[in-house]
Amino acid sequence: MITIKHLKKSFGDKVVLKNVNLEIQKGEVIAVIGPSGSGKSTLLRCINFLEKKDSGEIYFEGEKITENKKVLQEIRSEMGMVFQNFNLFPHKTVLENITMAPVLLGRKTKEEANKKALELLKAMNLLEKKDAFPDQLSGGQKQRIAIARSLAMEPKMMLFDEVTSALDPEMVGEVLHVIEELAKRGMTMVLVTHEMAFAKIIADRILFMADGEIVEEGTGEEIFDHPKKERTKDFLSKVLEF
């Protein structure tokens, strides 16, 4: 579904991504782990061109992603992205937050968008919150609404950028449950996460990034139980509790 070739990205003098190469298959769940500043979030943002790459090529379903606005808009509509800080519109209700993009972009009529939104809210156990405003919701509820808003566009893949890092511990589980359900339904997903135990369970493949590079990749068992690279071992020794 995604092919990345020789991706490079810098901010000023700081090189954030160094010659990253990656293939993501349809239906695959990939977890990206690594220390802060390793390029994880930048990789996600380059995939859908929220960040402009310096060089390299990115393909979505075989089509090269360019800066052509029409091409970008179409491809972005196929990639849902959820951030750690929700990004909900505070002056709009939950229902309005979810239905706005599909209607504005002509993907659905207002009636179709409302029907889809109510289905998503029911699946998230948030149907009673449809007329609430974001400031009336808990952090976990806001994040589930943000996920529902992305799913309302019926994307082919989802990108999650540390979606639980701003949540209180007791709210993390309800968001991870939603992601787990998406995985069971075969959604292609890339998630940057600090939730190591969850990454090991849910991911088909785990990428360990450090210093702008993919240092090591493999299954959860390979990365967490039998890491090969010293950089990976050093990181895991600091974040895993034994």
Side-chain angles (χ1 to χ4, degrees), residues 31-35 40 164 176 192-203 206-208 220 223-224 235-236 238-241:
V32 187
I33 65 171
K40 306 183 301 295
T164 59
L176 295 183
V192 171
T193 183
H194 292 295
E195 302 290 338
M196 299 298 157
F198 183 69
K200 183 178 182 180
I201 292 169
I202 198 171
I206 292 175
L207 311 181
F208 170 67
I223 296 297
F224 288 107
F235 172 76
L236 292 174
K238 294 172 180 173
V239 299
L240 296 180
E241 295 178 7

Side-chain angles (χ1 to χ4, degrees), residues 36-55:
S36 297
S38 59
K40 306 183 301 295
S41 294
T42 302
L43 174 61
L44 277 199
R45 295 172 70 87
C46 282
I47 288 176
N48 68 355
F49 273 56
L50 284 176
E51 291 291 354
K52 185 178 177 181
K53 60 185 173 57
D54 294 341
S55 62

